[in-house]
Amino acid sequence: MKLQGKYDCINSNRRGFLRNISLGAAGLVIGQASWLSLSKPGAGEASAAQASPLAEPVEARVSFSAGKDRRDLMVEILKPFEKEIRKGIKGKQVVIKPNCVWHDYPLCATHPDAIRGVLDFLKPIYSQKVIIGESTASPNGTFYNFEKYGYTPLEKEYNAKLVDLNLDTATTEWILGENRYPLDIRIIDAFLNPNNYIISLARMKTHDCVVATLSMKNMIMASPINVPKNHPAFVKNQFEKAKMHQGGPKGINYNMFLVAHFARPKLAIIDGVEGMEGNGPANGTPVEHGVAVAGLDAVAVDRIGLELMGIDYADVGYLQWCSAAGLGQGDRSKIQIVGTADLSKHVIKYKLRDNIAWQMEWKKDEKIVTK
């Protein structure tokens, strides 16, 4: 079943509709979030502060740099935001969310040296233990991936702890199901907890459903809980990530847009030193790109990431809707590039998945005007 025509009744005023949904989401009362044994909000405290959209997205700054040493690049692209990051992490639990989407293919995962670079930056400004948390969809489990991709030494090298977020508690939220009715989905409480300062650290990659996977998707698609069936903690119906894919290309884009209202990173980083093209997000081929971007507005950061990949921003549905709803800045004329490198000289057109025509079906009946 395709969702073609599903939005016919609201296409005439898409921007107003999305903005109304966005403002409504800010008032939702989300159940008390816990984060394993770490910082828990007080009784009755909700994550609305993290979920609140920007009424009118202001101009965004995105840091860009080029080079081959990803560890140094991470520090370099974060420096322009040091003042804001210092303020943001004060009294918060910092959580670095890497991308370990699958097992046994290092190119699909965040490189451990990228994490080292972020930890290098944080070390002089943050004295608490930094959590490196992931909730992989791999049946082998999160800690298998941590070990496979070389993350385990990080606990000894830094004041850091590796955590499987799939073992956290979860709160029920609502997305759109295959039959166009509301569908319940359990979101990991770590992503809802306002006491957590979440850093999305993603690798630049193509995707099989939504064209590209960057900082926003790294967090949004990690937020539904996924406990493997062979895990001792498994209980019935805990493979929630699959629900996000209902409804074809339009369905997954729309569900990502819905989840983005309450699960967005505070700091977005994209490592494009070695990207992935073709059969992303797990089996593509390498692109020696030598770039990195970062910023406090994940939509703006991802827009610049797409530009570097030679991908039309207008082709990525969930980012279009997030921008229209005020969840971030998508207007290129309102995004300031910070850094000395010339971004235009570092654009490489990535080869997309063979099913790109199917992915573009999300555009049917859409009338969003983008800049």
Side-chain angles (χ1 to χ4, degrees):
M1 173 182 174
K2 297 180 180 179
L3 296 186
Q4 177 180 352
K6 176 166 70 69
Y7 305 104
D8 290 348
C9 63
I10 56 176
N11 275 338
S12 61
N13 191 13
R14 165 67 67 180
R15 283 185 179 273
F17 166 76
L18 292 177
R19 198 169 296 282
N20 288 340
I21 284 185
S22 174
L23 293 174
L28 290 176
V29 177
I30 300 174
Q32 179 173 320
S34 63
W35 202 85
L36 301 180
S37 60
L38 299 174
S39 55
K40 298 181 180 180
E45 185 175 352
S47 61
Q50 177 162 323
S52 298
L54 301 170
E56 290 293 339
V58 296
E59 290 192 7
R61 295 161 61 229
V62 173
S63 177
F64 166 71
S65 191
K68 296 183 178 180
D69 189 322
R70 58 169 44 90
R71 185 168 176 174
D72 288 344
L73 273 180
M74 294 300 105
V75 176
E76 183 179 342
I77 61 173
L78 291 177
K79 278 293 184 182
F81 300 101
E82 182 172 346
K83 181 179 179 180
E84 294 94 330
I85 295 171
R86 279 179 180 269
K87 181 179 179 180
I89 63 179
K90 187 176 181 179
K92 304 290 186 180
Q93 172 61 61
V94 173
V95 181
I96 297 175
K97 165 60 179 75
N99 182 222
C100 299
V101 63
W102 204 241
H103 52 266
D104 297 337
Y105 195 49
L107 184 62
C108 79
T110 299
H111 196 284
D113 281 347
I115 302 176
R116 285 186 174 94
V118 177
L119 290 169
D120 289 341
F121 171 82
L122 291 171
K123 189 173 182 179
I125 65 173
Y126 187 74
S127 60
Q128 299 178 47
K129 190 179 293 291
V130 176
I131 298 300
I132 302 167
E134 173 62 300
S135 52
T136 184
S138 167
N140 289 349
T142 298
F143 271 91
Y144 175 91
N145 285 359
F146 284 161
E147 182 174 356
K148 192 72 177 179
Y149 296 137
Y151 291 5
T152 49
L154 296 172
E155 288 189 318
K156 294 181 179 180
E157 296 173 18
Y158 298 90
N159 186 19
K161 181 176 177 59
L162 298 170
V163 174
D164 183 354
L165 298 180
N166 279 323
L167 302 183
D168 194 6
T169 55
T171 295
T172 298
E173 295 292 347
W174 298 90
I175 57 174
L176 201 65
E178 185 76 37
N179 58 3
R180 306 181 188 181
Y181 286 95
L183 176 67
D184 63 290
I185 187 167
R186 283 177 293 170
I187 302 297
I188 296 168
D189 283 332
F191 295 105
L192 302 178
N193 193 334
N195 288 334
N196 291 336
Y197 186 97
I198 300 183
I199 301 171
S200 176
L201 178 52
R203 185 188 286 265
M204 193 173 283
K205 300 186 295 184
T206 53
H207 197 260
D208 59 349
C209 295
V210 292
V211 188
T213 172
L214 300 165
S215 71
M216 284 280 280
K217 186 179 179 299
N218 179 44
M219 182 161 168
I220 293 170
M221 289 302 292
S223 63
I225 198 163
N226 173 35
V227 178
K229 290 184 178 180
N230 61 352
H231 195 285
F234 175 79
V235 295
K236 188 177 180 181
N237 298 325
Q238 274 196 303
F239 187 75
E240 297 286 278
K241 297 185 195 303
K243 294 181 178 180
M244 295 287 289
H245 289 262
Q246 299 195 44
K250 183 165 285 187
I252 184 173
N253 274 285
Y254 192 72
N255 283 333
M256 287 177 62
F257 159 70
L258 292 178
V259 173
H261 282 78
F262 46 81
R264 300 193 303 280
K266 294 292 188 181
L267 175 61
I269 308 170
I270 302 173
D271 171 14
V273 172
E274 184 182 40
M276 177 190 288
E277 66 178 358
N279 293 325
N283 295 294
T285 53
V287 178
E288 299 300 326
H289 203 161
V291 295
V293 291
L296 303 174
D297 181 332
V299 174
V301 169
D302 285 1
R303 165 134 204 190
I304 299 305
L306 292 174
E307 186 174 330
L308 287 163
M309 298 171 75
I311 296 174
D312 190 344
Y313 167 69
D315 287 344
V316 183
Y318 66 96
L319 290 179
Q320 294 292 309
W321 295 332
C322 285
S323 176
L327 302 184
Q329 183 55 263
D331 185 341
R332 183 63 176 86
S333 68
K334 295 180 179 178
I335 301 174
Q336 176 190 359
I337 304 300
V338 180
T340 58
D342 185 347
L343 188 146
S344 65
K345 294 181 179 179
H346 294 275
V347 174
I348 296 178
K349 191 170 182 60
Y350 280 47
K351 179 182 177 182
L352 304 180
R353 291 277 303 216
D354 292 339
N355 69 344
I356 189 62
W358 172 81
Q359 294 186 54
M360 288 298 99
E361 289 185 6
W362 79 267
K363 284 186 160 186
K364 291 181 178 179
D365 306 316
E366 289 305 313
K367 295 182 180 179
I368 287 183
V369 177
T370 60
K371 295 182 180 180

